[in-house]
Amino acid sequence: MDKNLCEKIKYARKKLNGVRLKLVTNGSLIDEYKAKKLIESGVDLIDISFEGFSKEIYESARKGLDFDVVSSNILRLCEYAKGSRTRVNLVVVMKDEYKKYEKQFVGYWKDKVAKIYLNKIHNWGGGLGIKINKKPVVCHTLWTQFVIIWNGDVSICCMDFDSKNIVGNINEQSMSELWNGTKYKALRKQMLNCKISEIEVCKDCVTPYRAPITNLLLWNVNRRLLL
């Protein structure tokens, strides 16, 4: 939808030497022209959300999209990506009822795309009522992710869909100031002390970016470096 997207990718490629650039999309608007432009932009990864087990399942899961159009878009994009730096992946949100179609789906797409990710459904802050493991855990994202939202707000996690944990704004402070600021440090201490239930965006999280409590030994050894 962003008419300047490819130019932005080229700019990021020029400024962020050695950093992989990834685009996440549902693929519905990647026509032939946009497919060529995306490959020319130098983007490294294109993850396409695609529950394409059948036309009926896809159009039920992705309301308003056309299975045939998106399938054609993906196949065309993969053809243009051959010989380039760009890798096209499929990302599937799995439900139990999709399991019987998994083998056929993977068999069809495995030689056409770089990778296929079959992910568990995420509850996005408890909205889907999914039960989560209440055991104490730590998550690496507070030390490995820096998430900038469209308006410049900085969140602690890419799963913070509703901007529940904002630590500042990139237009007002530098990345270094925010990353090493008091808000980030306080949240990291909460995480290391197994107080994940006190962090708004974390308390109902079901993502796989979590480590068992035994890993706290390693985290605590490096505590001064991490904090």
Side-chain angles (χ1 to χ4, degrees):
M1 294 175 68
D2 185 348
K3 295 180 180 180
N4 299 314
L5 176 62
C6 292
E7 293 305 313
K8 291 176 180 177
I9 293 173
K10 289 179 181 179
Y11 179 83
R13 166 62 53 217
K14 181 179 179 181
K15 295 293 184 178
L16 301 173
N17 186 34
V19 175
R20 289 194 308 169
L21 301 177
K22 179 169 75 172
L23 174 68
V24 181
T25 174
N26 61 30
S28 62
L29 299 180
I30 304 180
D31 56 21
E32 185 171 6
Y33 174 79
K34 291 174 184 174
K36 290 180 179 179
K37 288 295 182 181
L38 280 172
I39 302 304
E40 292 171 359
S41 73
V43 64
D44 296 282
L45 303 169
I46 300 178
D47 283 1
I48 302 178
S49 303
F50 184 66
E51 292 73 41
F53 301 102
S54 70
K55 183 177 179 67
E56 181 181 6
I57 289 174
Y58 178 78
E59 293 181 1
S60 174
R62 300 279 168 180
K63 298 291 186 181
L65 300 187
D66 187 299
F67 172 78
D68 298 316
V69 170
V70 177
S71 297
S72 296
N73 288 352
I74 296 171
L75 291 171
R76 181 172 52 238
L77 182 64
C78 290
E79 282 297 313
Y80 285 133
K82 288 180 179 178
S84 72
R85 70 185 299 155
T86 305
R87 297 292 176 266
V88 180
N89 304 320
L90 296 184
V91 181
V92 181
V93 177
M94 288 296 291
K95 294 182 179 180
D96 291 340
E97 56 262 40
Y98 296 165
K99 284 290 184 180
K100 58 184 176 182
Y101 305 104
E102 181 180 328
K103 186 176 181 180
Q104 182 180 357
F105 175 82
V106 173
Y108 178 79
W109 286 102
K110 66 179 182 179
D111 295 324
K112 297 176 174 62
V113 297
K115 288 185 179 180
I116 300 172
Y117 296 95
L118 304 175
N119 295 338
K120 291 182 179 179
I121 195 167
H122 187 275
N123 75 356
W124 292 102
L128 298 179
I130 299 173
K131 293 182 180 180
I132 66 170
N133 186 349
K134 292 293 184 179
K135 292 181 179 180
V137 294
V138 293
C139 178
H140 68 72
T141 54
L142 282 168
W143 291 270
T144 59
Q145 287 190 8
F146 191 86
V147 180
I148 305 173
I149 301 172
W150 67 272
N151 63 354
D153 281 346
V154 174
S155 176
I156 63 171
C157 181
C158 63
M159 293 294 181
D160 190 4
F161 190 72
D162 294 317
S163 302
K164 294 179 179 179
N165 279 110
I166 301 300
V167 295
N169 189 288
I170 199 68
N171 295 310
E172 300 169 0
Q173 293 175 277
S174 70
M175 182 180 292
S176 178
E177 288 171 335
L178 290 167
W179 184 251
N180 297 296
T182 55
K183 289 185 178 180
Y184 244 122
K185 287 184 177 181
L187 288 163
R188 289 177 183 132
K189 286 181 179 179
Q190 281 183 292
M191 183 67 71
L192 288 174
N193 289 322
C194 294
K195 295 182 178 179
I196 192 169
S197 61
E198 296 180 8
I199 304 175
E200 184 65 24
V201 74
C202 302
K203 63 183 181 182
D204 292 314
C205 182
V206 295
T207 64
Y209 307 125
R210 308 170 80 177
I213 192 170
T214 51
N215 283 17
L216 280 175
L217 288 172
L218 177 60
W219 289 96
N220 283 323
V221 166
N222 296 294
R223 195 181 183 95
R224 291 182 181 178
L225 292 175
L226 293 172
L227 294 176

